[in-house]
Amino acid sequence: MVFLLAIVTGILTTAGVYMILRRSFVRVILGLAFIGHAANLLIFTVGRITEGKAAFVTEGLSSITEPFADPLPQALILTAIVIGFGVQAFLIVLFKQNYKSIGSDDLDDMNTTDKLGQ
Amino acid sequence: MMKVLAILPVLIPFFAAILTLFFGKRIFAQRVIFSVSSGLVLLVSFFLLEHAFNTGIFSFQAGGWDAPFGISFVVDKLSAIMIAISGLMAFASSFYAFATIDKEREKFGFYTLLSTLFMGINGSFLTGDIFNLYVWFEVMLMSSFVLIALGGTKPQLEGAVKYVTLNLISSTFFLIAVGILYGMAGTLNMADLAVKIPAHPEGWLTTTVALLFLIAFGIKSAVFPLFFWLPASYHTPPAVVSAVFAGMLTKVGVYAMIRVFTLIFSNNPEITHSVILVIAGFTMLVGVLGAAAQNDIRRILSFHIVSQIGYMIMGLGLNSPIAVAGAVFYIIHHIIVKTNLFLIGGVIKEIRGTYSLEKLGGVYKAYPLLGLLFLIPALSLAGIPPLSGFWAKFSLVKAGLESEAWFITALSLFVSILTLYSMMKIWNEVFWKDTPPEFDVTDRYSEFSVSKKVLLIAPAVGLAIVTIVIGFYTAPFFDAASSSASELLNKTGYIESVLRLK
């Protein structure tokens, strides 16, 4: 399972980097999303996956018995997903506004900031 | 009592943000709320400073779960200093915002966003939990994303794209590093990490994670070769926004770097701190050379931020008590001076309507006092005695000589000459040369109302006075920096305070 997740994380990262390096707006957004998901999967994998053992104390016992699934990485990922979702929504609107003002979806056409003050 | 005080720098901007939302279109009320709230943060920070320097490190656990399980908030000397400066910057820039920000932006939640921005900044300074630091970074970044794009002019939108994309990549690196760190140590509390990470059997993994953090914070604090987003975006938003960004945001990255590399990753300095030192050298030089090629006041100043960040992390890289003290003192000096330069640049733009060196000229003839006001932070930035920048550079050079790091010390002196060249370039082009006849100059200063004039100039004058005070009355400020440096390098106090070992 860990091996499989590691492969998927690697593929997502590769695809993300490739997409970010493209010049089209949409691909950059997708690339950032891919890399974000790769990071989430990585936390999930690094947090040691335990199948079918929720972190509950069994009735009659006073403490939890090993092994159990660590709930903290999942909480971290949830936080990261929520933040990532908000940021991506903002990104899409931002790129759309840019598309309106530049009239193309090529990142190379974004050179107004460099020409300012010349 | 102290518990409440320690959380107030986060809570005050939070409630200010909510309150401003209630006053949707009533701008005056929003202005009052923002100004009062930032004044209150400044006031609270004095209590925090008093406690941090007289009693020691204060820490408490939000939610009542003991460390390392709960989320810790820690007020040590460095945090208290940073909170005080952030309060001062919010307070000073609030007046400037009243005079310069247009009604549309104000109605669109400008003060709400500025409040949440300072909430994120203050949270980053106070937290003692590495994942919580990530969350505060995101709070800060989200507000800054909207602030930089607010208004929607073409350069702003394009600057925002560059700013947002690279900062998101940095956040991803941060998240990955935090994930691996949790996998290694099973904890996220920084004090607990400071105990467990140096004892971790796989040293190479520690170094890898340390360098991942260096990339994440390096993008945020705009170091070589990760700084390209900064000069591409900081000159696009309104003057007050770029002044706050220039002063505070990159320094949050530097703060995080100092915190992480003194507390958690301090056991393998041959690799990590050498890398930091090399980066510092390149950052200083490339930033200042980039500035020399620019023809826009704010773009020159933006490149100088990059160059100055190099000095701060040079202090971190040298890793001796006096070097870290120099870095902390440099942050104090730099935030005030840099914000002030951007504010004065904004004043020139308000008067003459442009930032372009080519189109400006003769400002000294028309406004000699404004010229003087510019010279104070400009010369301080270059490190001319007796202003604050001189002492900041002096302590770093002294630290460099003591550590026998000849090359970086020589480089830092060379870069400060180039900094002086850049400042003199602005001085010559904007203030000294005659107004270029081929450009139509409209001088709008006489049209301004008295209140606008006061609000425009007062923050710059106030910050210039602070610069002079730090310059002439250096001892207490430097003592504060050096005692916070010794606290940073001797981490047992921090660990004992958070984990309640005493």
Side-chain angles (χ1 to χ4, degrees), chain A residues 48 70 87 98 110 112-113, chain B residues 158 161-162 168 172 182-183 235:
Chain A
R48 289 188 187 81
D70 188 351
V87 171
N98 264 288
M110 280 197 177
T112 319
T113 55
Chain B
E158 290 184 20
V161 165
K162 294 161 188 177
L168 281 184
T172 314
Y182 180 75
H235 62 299

Side-chain angles (χ1 to χ4, degrees), chain B residues 286-304:
Chain B
V286 173
V288 86
L289 290 179
Q294 301 303 319
N295 266 316
D296 175 290
I297 298 177
R298 283 202 289 180
R299 258 174 97 82
I300 294 177
L301 294 177
S302 300
F303 272 103
H304 274 294

Side-chain angles (χ1 to χ4, degrees), chain B residues 83 102 201 214 247 259 267 282 288 343 356 370 375 380 439:
Chain B
I83 294 283
D102 48 289
L214 188 62
R259 178 68 79 202
N267 58 321
F282 276 111
V288 86
L343 290 182
S356 165
L370 186 64
L375 270 187
S380 178
F439 294 107

